[in-house]
């Protein structure tokens, strides 16, 4: 751990969910992700990409399939 790690940055506890045009939802911050049974889905990164095209082979994560399956978002 460095001295920098010990000083909380502003908004470290903030959660944001941002839609990528024609792509995934980017989840940033300390949100808990659960599956359809309420079980925790482990995450190993501060920012994760959640599939919204339905084509991923590794749900709930985006695996890049949206780039080849023709997914188009409205946002
Ligand atoms: S949004 Fe990327 S695989 Fe579905």
């Amino acid at each position: 751990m460095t001295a920098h790690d010990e000083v909380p940055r502003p908004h470290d506890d903030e959660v944001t969910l941002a839609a990528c045009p024609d792509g995934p939802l980017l989840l940033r911050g300390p949100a808990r992700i659960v599956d359809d049974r309420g079980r925790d889905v482990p995450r190993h990164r501060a920012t994760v990409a959640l599939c919204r095209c339905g084509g991923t082979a590794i749900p709930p994560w985006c695996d890049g399939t949206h780039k080849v399956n023709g997914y188009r978002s409205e946002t």
Side-chain angles (χ1 to χ4, degrees):
M1 177 179 282
T2 68
H4 178 73
D5 292 331
E6 297 172 27
V7 179
R9 295 176 306 163
H11 309 295
D12 269 356
D13 60 345
E14 184 176 48
V15 174
T16 62
L17 188 63
C20 295
D22 302 332
L25 298 172
L26 294 183
L27 176 64
R28 295 183 176 96
R32 181 176 164 224
I33 300 173
V34 297
D35 68 11
D36 57 349
R37 295 182 183 173
R39 297 175 299 197
D40 284 311
V41 176
R43 54 185 282 194
H44 306 289
R45 296 179 180 172
T47 300
V48 293
L50 301 171
C51 176
R52 66 175 171 152
C53 77
T56 184
I58 54 169
W61 317 120
C62 169
D63 67 359
T65 298
H66 63 271
K67 295 176 186 173
V68 295
N69 69 6
Y71 176 70
R72 294 291 177 259
S73 62
E74 295 180 15
T75 57

